[in-house]
Amino acid sequence: MLSLTSASSNRWLAQVDAHLEDILIDHAHCEKKAAGTALNLIFAYVERTELCRELAEIVTEELEHFRLVLDLLERRGIRFRRLPPGDMGGN
């Protein structure tokens, strides 16, 4: 299912399996945050046109990733929502 290209420990795989819903939701939030950060940098460096162009590409790419993860959540019947701060079960 994960299409991993290298060996992973059974403990790690069990953690992913136990928390997959939260991991996917967190991933969507990370994509959204990356887009927002790039957009904020455009506002901060408005006079640097070439940098703004590159940042605009990043905004577009990260928002596309965000949409892809939202689609995946929807297909899996997982509601996108806020997650409480925490260590994601890293006991």
Side-chain angles (χ1 to χ4, degrees):
M1 174 184 84
L2 294 176
S3 303
L4 302 175
T5 59
S6 62
S8 299
S9 74
N10 288 335
R11 181 179 179 275
W12 183 85
L13 291 170
Q15 288 287 323
V16 169
D17 189 47
H19 301 282
L20 186 58
E21 182 172 313
D22 288 340
I23 291 168
L24 292 173
I25 293 168
D26 184 64
H27 184 68
H29 283 289
C30 289
E31 297 292 357
K32 176 176 56 90
K33 184 175 182 179
T37 298
L39 188 58
N40 285 337
L41 288 169
I42 290 172
F43 284 101
Y45 296 100
V46 67
E47 69 285 348
R48 297 188 54 195
T49 305
E50 192 53 39
L51 176 62
C52 288
R53 288 182 193 282
E54 293 296 325
L55 288 166
E57 290 294 323
I58 292 170
V59 171
T60 301
E61 180 180 329
E62 297 303 333
L63 284 177
E64 178 57 26
H65 294 166
F66 176 64
R67 283 190 289 271
L68 289 171
V69 179
L70 287 180
D71 290 346
L72 177 61
L73 290 170
E74 185 176 328
R75 285 193 310 273
R76 290 175 168 264
I78 300 170
R79 183 178 59 85
F80 181 57
R81 63 187 184 281
R82 294 182 192 278
L83 292 176
D87 64 358
M88 299 266 305
N91 313 354

